[in-house]
């Protein structure tokens, strides 16, 4: 990122963090994810959905009933994953540099293993 892009990103990220509120998925997306999860379970696997480290900081919530614990891995949280929102590891709002992608991959694997080991 250029210095101007980095400053803009940091400003928008601060605003996103300040205004973050849980947001329910729209009904069509909620239904689609439930359909995908059902199809994945029918194949004998456990579905896991990943929210990448996007600038949008509002936590996603499903409508009732919520998905099983561990089936949603959210990385769009700059407070929990500050390194993924460091402008040195970003190309733009939605893309990571190679180093950022490597860190995201490491964190994703770590979180996946941690949750897979939970009963």
């Amino acid at each position: 990122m250029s210095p101007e892009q980095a400053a803009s990103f940091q400003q928008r990220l601060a605003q996103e963090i300040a205004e973050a509120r849980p947001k329910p998925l729209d009904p069509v997306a909620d239904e689609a994810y439930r359909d995908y999860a059902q199809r994945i379970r029918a194949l004998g696997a456990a579905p896991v959905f990943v929210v990448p480290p996007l600038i949008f900081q509002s936590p996603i919530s499903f409508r009732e009933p919520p998905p099983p614990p561990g089936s949603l891995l959210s990385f769009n949280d700059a407070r929990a994953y500050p390194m993924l929102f460091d402008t040195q590891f970003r190309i733009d709002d939605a893309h990571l540099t190679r180093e950022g992608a490597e860190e995201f991959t490491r964190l994703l694997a770590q979180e996946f293993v941690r949750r897979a080991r939970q009963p």
Side-chain angles (χ1 to χ4, degrees):
M1 287 186 173
S2 70
E4 295 80 20
Q5 290 172 318
S8 175
F9 176 82
Q10 290 171 331
Q11 184 179 36
R12 285 179 292 138
L13 180 61
Q15 184 176 358
E16 282 287 331
I17 291 169
E19 296 174 359
R21 305 285 181 275
K23 288 176 139 179
L25 282 173
D26 70 80
V28 174
D30 191 285
E31 185 177 332
Y33 284 121
R34 288 177 192 282
D35 181 52
Y36 297 146
Q38 181 180 12
R39 291 178 189 206
I40 292 167
R41 281 194 287 283
L43 294 170
V48 176
F49 297 101
V50 177
V51 179
L54 301 171
I55 194 169
F56 307 108
Q57 297 292 294
S58 293
I60 295 172
S61 64
F62 284 84
R63 298 177 192 284
E64 295 299 322
S71 61
L72 180 65
L73 303 179
S74 296
F75 291 89
N76 65 325
D77 185 345
R79 290 183 177 144
Y81 303 102
M83 69 294 292
L84 298 177
F85 296 88
D86 185 322
T87 56
Q88 292 180 1
F89 297 112
R90 308 282 311 192
I91 294 172
D92 57 27
D93 289 1
H95 299 93
L96 298 165
T97 63
R98 178 177 168 219
E99 294 82 10
E102 289 172 352
E103 180 65 10
F104 174 49
T105 302
R106 186 188 69 72
L107 290 167
L108 175 60
Q110 183 180 25
E111 188 64 17
F112 185 83
V113 168
R114 186 183 75 76
R115 292 193 185 194
R117 289 182 175 163
Q118 292 177 340

